Amino acid sequence: MSENKKNDFEFLTLLENDARLTPEQLSTMLDKDVGDISEMMTAYERDGVILGYKTLIDWDKTDREYVTALIELKVAPQRDRGFDRVAEKIYNYPEVKSLYLMSGSFDLAVFIEGRTMKEVAYFVAQKLAPMEYIVATATHFVLRKYKDKGVVYGPCEIDERGTL
C-alpha cells in the first residue's frame, strides 16, 4: 500500500471512529498541515466517500418509544436492473434506516424503525410485501442492542438467580 493510501485510510478511519475530530486534531494525529486535512475532507465529501456525519444515540436511555426490525426480503430480480430498482423504491421510505443486498436465502436486508411493533407490521404488510418483485418477507424485531457500529451499549446485566 502506498504511503498516500495508508494516510488516507488512517484519516478516514479516525474520522469514522470520531466525527467530532477537528481538522486541527487530525493534522496533529496524522502529522499533516491543517489546510491539507481540510482539502482532504472537502475532496472526500465532494467525491461521495464521506457521506455524512452521525452521532450514535442509545435511545433506550431516553423516553423515546420505538422498535427496530430487520426485514429479510426475497426478490425476483428485474431484467437489466437486477435488484437496484426494487432497492431504490425501498430506501426512499423514511422508515428505512439501512438497506443491504445480501447473499444467502434472502436477497435484501432492510432495517426499519417504527413507534410500535404494530406500526412495523403495517409497514411490511402494506408497503413492502405488496411491491412488485417481492416474493417473500421475514421480519425480526431487535430486542436489545449490545453493539452497533463498533460501539458497545453498556455492560450486560448479569442475572445471578440461577447460579450457586
Side-chain angles (χ1 to χ4, degrees):
M1 181 182 299
S2 73
E3 192 61 33
N4 278 348
K5 293 285 185 196
K6 184 179 178 201
N7 285 338
D8 289 356
F9 179 76
E10 287 180 86
F11 167 75
L12 291 171
T13 301
L14 287 168
L15 203 52
E16 181 180 42
N17 290 331
D18 187 354
R20 296 177 305 157
L21 290 172
T22 66
E24 292 77 17
Q25 291 170 315
L26 288 164
S27 70
T28 300
M29 297 166 94
L30 297 170
D31 196 28
K32 289 187 162 285
D33 289 336
V34 175
D36 292 341
I37 295 294
S38 295
E39 286 177 21
M40 288 171 71
M41 290 177 86
T42 300
Y44 280 129
E45 289 167 353
R46 181 188 62 239
D47 295 343
V49 174
I50 296 175
L51 298 173
Y53 301 88
K54 293 273 188 176
T55 301
L56 194 57
I57 307 291
D58 186 350
W59 288 108
D60 289 339
K61 293 184 177 177
T62 71
D63 292 337
R64 178 180 176 223
E65 292 294 324
Y66 79 104
V67 64
T68 301
L70 161 64
I71 299 130
E72 297 174 310
L73 302 175
K74 188 173 288 271
V75 178
Q78 294 179 287
R79 168 177 254 152
D80 300 327
R81 295 281 323 252
F83 299 100
D84 295 344
R85 185 164 161 77
V86 174
E88 184 177 2
K89 286 182 180 181
I90 293 168
Y91 69 60
N92 280 309
Y93 285 110
E95 297 92 339
V96 174
K97 301 304 174 193
S98 300
L99 175 62
Y100 304 100
L101 179 62
M102 306 295 291
S103 65
S105 58
F106 283 85
D107 303 305
L108 296 174
V110 185
F111 283 89
I112 72 164
E113 287 184 359
R115 285 178 293 151
T116 64
M117 287 185 178
K118 185 176 183 177
E119 188 177 275
V120 169
Y122 178 83
F123 177 80
V124 173
Q126 298 298 315
K127 294 183 179 177
L128 289 182
M131 286 178 79
E132 189 177 11
Y133 304 109
I134 300 290
V135 177
T137 68
T139 302
H140 311 276
F141 289 97
V142 175
L143 302 178
R144 180 176 180 183
K145 287 184 184 179
Y146 292 104
K147 186 175 184 178
D148 190 17
K149 295 176 181 63
V151 177
V152 175
Y153 278 61
C156 296
E157 295 177 18
I158 299 173
D159 182 357
E160 296 186 19
R161 290 179 288 179
T163 60
L164 297 175

